[in-house]
Amino acid sequence: KMKNFYITTPIYYVNDIPHIGHAYTTIAADVAARFKRLEGYKVFFLTGTDEHGQKVQQAAKDLNVTPQQHVDKLHQRFKELWVKLNISNSDFIRTTEERHKRLVCDILQTLHEKDEIYRDSYEGWYCTPCERFWTEKDLQEGNCPDCQRKVEKIKEYNYFFRMGKYQDWLIEKIKSDPHFILPASRRNEVLGFLEKPLEDLCISRPKSRLPWGIPLPFDEEYVTYVWFDALINYISVHGSLDDIRASGYWPSDHNMVGKDILTTHAVYWSTMLKAIGLEPPKNIFAHGWWTVNGQKMSKSLHNVVEPNQLADQFGVDVIRYFLLREVPFGLDGDFSHKALIGRLNSDLANNLGNLLNRSVNMMKKYFNGTIPEPATTGEEDIALKKKAQEVIDEVRKLYDELAFNKILQKIWELVDTTNQYIDKTGPWNLAKTDEGKERLKTVMYNAAESLRILGVLLFPFMPKSCESLMQQLGVEKKIEEQGMASLDNWGGLTSGTQTQKAKQLFPRIEDKQAAKILEELDAPKETAKDDTGQITIDEFMKVDLRTGKILEAEKVKKSRKLVKLKVDIGTETRQILAGIAESFEPEDLIGRTVIIVANLKPAKLMGIESQGMVLAANNDGSLLIAGFDQEPGLGIQVR
Ligand code: MSP
């Protein structure tokens, strides 16, 4: 029997212009969905749009159209983008659809009858842009803690969901199921949030203030709070509560969200489900946020990265690859065109693209374009097969944690190993002798088979490119039909198959062209008026500067710039890599007093860990190390 797999993205606010942040969640979910299909699962993959609420109402009013007309038009931008980015969603849910509104009403009615929802007066601080009430103690300097804008004091009657009573259950659930909320750091944040008493959730808004929402079935003076409405999308897509139970898709496998909306999912949604009598999702995964050239993405900074444009310029698969390769899934990341072009040129064009290109060309040259029959088996062949098997096994495991960047790193080990296999065996030399020609058959077969494996493994990330790769290898069977099962044994490729003409998968961006693109796109944008670039004394004090003495210094092999230092900072000795080899001989550094950044996150450079940074000034290309006019003690703070 086929196993089911259900994965969801958040539903996007319809009035936002889709940017790489939205594309990120959706692409990640798409990769997981495509992989599970390759594994033979019956997959349901849901995305959609969140269409009620204040902002939509206001925007429609400004344009002089009805909110419904407005959202009917706007949601298309998301739908079209997902087609363009080759997203394989099974359905697209809109919260203004009948099927959704029907279930929201059913749930409200049932919970009201069961006294899970009650009416009460409420006094609180309301943030209009966020459409959220805050208590006095939530406020930060009198402003909304989320957006820092002004709040208004409002007293009114409203309806409340008895969320508070599920607090203990939820804490227990999170503690007993480590897979429920990932990554672990985010899980601890939610547990921290739950240390305070959990209050009941206000789930209504007076219609007089906000008419654009789903009316409460038991009181027509009110509409439903957008979050209570929106979260239900994950089940309304499957029909009635009975339909959902029968669908085989609940509980869902992964509920993917950004870190900013983890609480609404982990707390509101889980307790809502509990009250409804359904299980919470098996996993809620909160990914990090993208900044752009180090800055928050925002309209006022004119730095919103638009996926449509990006895809036109660099190609859909390049974007899909970059977003998931660049940053560990779960952490924040920084987008720059420079980094994107770097990945395109090195990982994609030089390593993968070139591997395919030269393999197909050599098959053409030496075997008239047919896949040869492998003959001999040597040491190199065994090592290559072993590597492939290791990569396949590891990739499968890494999908359980949605560790996309590790998956890609792992797959690239096979790309590199295959390139090295060709370099080591040297087809161009083998072709010179009769004996060599026999060996060459095996070498070319194995290179091609390795490429087929790469095509299957990379298909979830870069579907179009991998289809092209398969075509070039002459494989007609669709990758979806080959599946992960086709990787169980080496030798899936049929000898005698006619390969196709080599085509470049990822054209390189040449330096000149890159420089032009970067000048246009990565140039610092005009910053907002209130951003003076200044920091507060508190921000400065976060940098832990200390005195230290260099005990040992040696050049890092194969590096022009790096010196490995052992620095005594009084309490301990730190290993620090400094890029100063061009200005100093290691022996001249020993015994010098330096200033180091002691709380810098450790990082690896050329495989060596560096636990800090030495302060130096670049004086026209020659470096000067910051120091003191008298000898200080060790480990003293510098400010
Ligand atoms: N409508 C709500 C979600 C309701 S789900 C029942 C919403 N929509 S949103 O359009 O504002 O955001 C949708 C997703 O985009 C969130 O997961 C959010 O984290 C993500 N991102 C928005 N900006 C982002 C970045 N700059 N970087 C990464 N993801 C970001 O919230």
Side-chain angles (χ1 to χ4, degrees):
K1 189 179 151 257
M2 247 192 182
K3 281 179 289 178
N4 288 352
F5 180 79
Y6 181 23
I7 188 165
T8 61
T9 75
I11 48 172
Y12 302 100
Y13 285 131
V14 74
N15 47 314
D16 284 348
I17 294 175
H19 58 59
I20 50 164
H22 307 122
Y24 185 48
T25 329
T26 312
I27 291 170
D30 187 56
V31 170
R34 285 178 182 273
F35 172 74
K36 284 291 170 174
R37 287 192 202 106
L38 289 183
E39 285 278 41
Y41 284 73
K42 199 170 139 219
V43 170
F44 198 94
F45 166 24
L46 181 65
T47 189
T49 38
D50 192 350
E51 305 191 351
H52 288 120
Q54 189 84 50
K55 283 183 201 153
V56 170
Q57 184 177 305
Q58 189 58 47
K61 200 172 148 214
D62 294 345
L63 290 168
N64 219 354
V65 294
T66 66
Q68 190 65 53
Q69 285 170 328
H70 190 51
V71 297
D72 283 349
K73 188 161 161 219
L74 286 194
H75 86 281
Q76 300 283 3
R77 295 194 295 207
F78 284 93
K79 262 195 187 154
E80 283 160 12
L81 179 62
W82 303 150
V83 171
K84 178 150 187 166
L85 296 182
N86 211 355
I87 301 298
S88 64
N89 52 306
S90 320
D91 203 331
F92 187 101
I93 186 106
R94 303 176 53 197
T95 55
T96 54
E97 286 175 304
E98 275 318 311
R99 57 176 179 168
H100 175 73
K101 293 193 274 190
R102 200 179 309 131
L103 186 69
V104 172
C105 285
D106 274 357
I107 288 174
L108 284 165
Q109 185 69 39
T110 312
L111 294 186
H112 188 237
E113 280 163 18
K114 290 203 309 187
D115 191 39
E116 294 276 351
I117 288 175
Y118 62 96
R119 184 169 185 268
D120 201 357
S121 77
Y122 185 85
E123 193 175 44
W125 294 95
Y126 189 70
C127 174
T128 312
C130 295
E131 295 167 45
R132 253 184 99 163
F133 273 105
W134 300 101
T135 60
E136 187 81 40
K137 62 177 193 297
D138 289 331
L139 301 182
Q140 277 171 8
E141 292 169 17
N143 293 329
C144 169
D146 263 7
C147 73
Q148 322 301 334
R149 277 177 283 210
K150 253 175 76 181
V151 288
E152 278 174 87
K153 188 155 203 169
I154 291 186
K155 181 181 168 161
E156 62 192 21
Y157 274 92
N158 260 312
Y159 286 87
F160 293 83
F161 162 52
R162 292 191 195 279
M163 185 161 76
K165 72 176 192 189
Y166 295 110
Q167 179 164 17
D168 291 341
W169 165 80
L170 183 59
I171 293 172
E172 181 49 33
K173 165 78 194 159
I174 297 172
K175 285 192 172 159
S176 65
D177 181 358
H179 185 72
F180 177 37
I181 295 171
L182 287 174
S185 56
R186 299 268 168 233
R187 169 174 178 258
N188 292 335
E189 265 172 35
V190 178
L191 284 172
F193 173 86
L194 288 169
E195 274 167 18
K196 288 187 297 185
L198 183 61
E199 290 178 16
D200 289 346
L201 181 68
C202 179
I203 55 113
S204 64
R205 297 292 181 262
K207 216 182 222 168
S208 53
R209 181 147 53 82
L210 176 75
W212 184 238
I214 302 177
L216 293 187
F218 44 82
D219 190 339
E220 58 181 29
E221 295 297 307
Y222 293 88
V223 298
T224 314
Y225 169 47
V226 271
W227 271 101
F228 194 92
D229 156 2
L231 288 162
I232 291 173
N233 88 85
Y234 302 126
I235 51 178
S236 65
V237 71
H238 298 295
S240 69
L241 287 176
D242 284 337
D243 294 338
I244 293 149
R245 289 192 185 94
S247 71
Y249 286 121
W250 201 264
S252 60
D253 292 272
H254 291 292
N255 196 164
M256 292 230 202
V257 298
K259 63 178 183 179
D260 54 317
I261 56 172
L262 176 58
T263 314
T264 47
H265 283 79
V267 181
Y268 300 3
W269 181 223
S270 303
T271 55
M272 282 166 66
L273 284 163
K274 177 75 180 160
I276 297 166
L278 287 172
E279 295 270 314
K282 285 184 215 155
N283 167 254
I284 301 174
F285 197 107
H287 65 69
W289 266 47
W290 284 93
T291 49
V292 173
N293 295 316
Q295 283 182 311
K296 201 179 153 167
M297 220 183 331
S298 83
K299 276 186 214 153
S300 61
L301 293 178
H302 308 290
N303 66 349
V304 174
V305 181
E306 221 267 297
N308 266 303
Q309 201 190 328
L310 214 56
D312 287 340
Q313 191 160 18
F314 299 100
V316 170
D317 285 349
V318 177
I319 311 305
R320 291 175 60 110
Y321 173 78
F322 175 78
L323 289 177
L324 294 182
R325 172 63 185 82
E326 190 67 4
V327 177
F329 201 58
L331 299 185
D332 293 339
D334 187 48
F335 179 91
S336 71
H337 292 88
K338 189 166 179 210
L340 176 76
I341 292 171
R343 291 260 172 230
L344 163 57
N345 280 350
S346 72
D347 301 3
L348 296 176
N350 280 3
N351 298 343
L352 177 62
N354 190 34
L355 172 63
L356 176 68
N357 218 259
R358 63 175 176 159
S359 303
V360 173
N361 280 331
M362 284 191 288
M363 236 133 27
K364 172 118 200 138
K365 183 163 173 196
Y366 302 129
F367 299 108
N368 246 328
T370 50
I371 306 233
E373 182 103 40
T376 52
T377 304
E379 236 172 80
E380 293 115 338
D381 311 310
I382 294 170
L384 178 67
K385 291 178 199 178
K386 211 173 127 212
K387 186 75 203 178
Q389 193 56 54
E390 175 207 312
V391 170
I392 294 163
D393 293 344
E394 198 60 29
V395 163
R396 280 195 156 119
K397 269 192 230 135
L398 288 167
Y399 267 106
D400 290 340
E401 313 158 29
L402 301 178
F404 300 110
N405 88 312
K406 287 194 200 153
I407 292 172
L408 286 170
Q409 266 170 7
K410 200 74 210 168
I411 297 174
W412 248 257
E413 286 180 21
L414 184 57
V415 173
D416 293 342
T417 304
T418 313
N419 267 322
Q420 286 154 13
Y421 171 80
I422 294 178
D423 296 341
K424 259 190 258 162
T425 51
W428 37 92
N429 289 329
L430 293 174
K432 287 177 191 157
T433 66
D434 281 348
E435 197 190 336
K437 273 185 193 147
E438 273 309 291
R439 175 82 188 115
L440 184 57
K441 290 183 185 166
T442 310
V443 169
M444 289 320 303
Y445 180 89
N446 284 345
E449 171 67 356
S450 192
L451 274 161
R452 185 189 70 86
I453 294 170
L454 288 167
V456 176
L457 290 176
L458 284 172
F459 175 76
F461 295 88
M462 302 188 283
K464 286 265 152 64
S465 307
C466 290
E467 273 161 14
S468 165
L469 175 150
M470 281 299 168
Q471 268 166 17
Q472 295 184 47
L473 292 177
V475 181
E476 274 168 18
K477 199 167 170 187
K478 283 247 174 295
I479 297 175
E480 276 129 319
E481 285 161 33
Q482 295 184 55
M484 285 296 289
S486 76
L487 308 188
D488 285 348
N489 295 301
W490 184 270
L493 208 54
T494 314
S495 304
T497 304
Q498 191 61 36
T499 61
Q500 304 294 313
K501 200 168 170 309
K503 253 202 329 236
Q504 226 174 16
L505 284 187
F506 308 103
R508 265 185 72 88
I509 306 237
E510 298 305 335
D511 292 352
K512 250 204 193 142
Q513 195 188 347
K516 218 176 119 208
I517 295 173
L518 297 184
E519 200 179 317
E520 266 169 41
L521 297 172
D522 277 348
K525 299 284 183 317
E526 183 193 329
T527 46
K529 286 204 183 63
D530 58 354
D531 186 356
T532 55
Q534 293 173 334
I535 60 168
T536 63
I537 183 81
D538 288 344
E539 284 165 350
F540 172 72
M541 286 302 183
K542 284 189 194 154
V543 185
D544 186 12
L545 297 172
R546 284 175 191 272
T547 58
K549 192 187 245 29
I550 299 178
L551 302 179
E552 290 172 37
E554 62 174 277
K555 279 202 158 181
V556 172
K557 279 198 202 95
K558 290 202 191 135
S559 166
R560 229 167 7 105
K561 288 196 173 156
L562 291 180
V563 191
K564 188 169 89 182
L565 306 171
K566 291 274 159 69
V567 182
D568 184 356
I569 57 166
T571 47
E572 64 186 288
T573 303
R574 291 283 182 89
Q575 169 170 299
I576 295 178
L577 294 183
I580 53 176
E582 287 172 320
S583 301
F584 295 94
E585 287 305 317
E587 49 272 30
D588 295 335
L589 291 166
I590 295 170
R592 284 193 64 153
T593 303
V594 290
I595 304 173
I596 74 155
V597 183
N599 61 344
L600 199 63
K601 211 181 206 162
K604 275 200 173 156
L605 299 169
M606 305 193 67
I608 308 171
E609 183 168 277
S610 179
Q611 306 156 328
M613 190 171 106
V614 173
L615 297 194
N618 188 331
N619 193 35
D620 259 346
S622 93
L623 294 174
L624 306 174
I625 294 178
F628 298 91
D629 47 10
Q630 279 175 40
E631 201 61 20
L634 299 183
I636 298 179
Q637 279 207 307
V638 181
R639 23 199 58 164

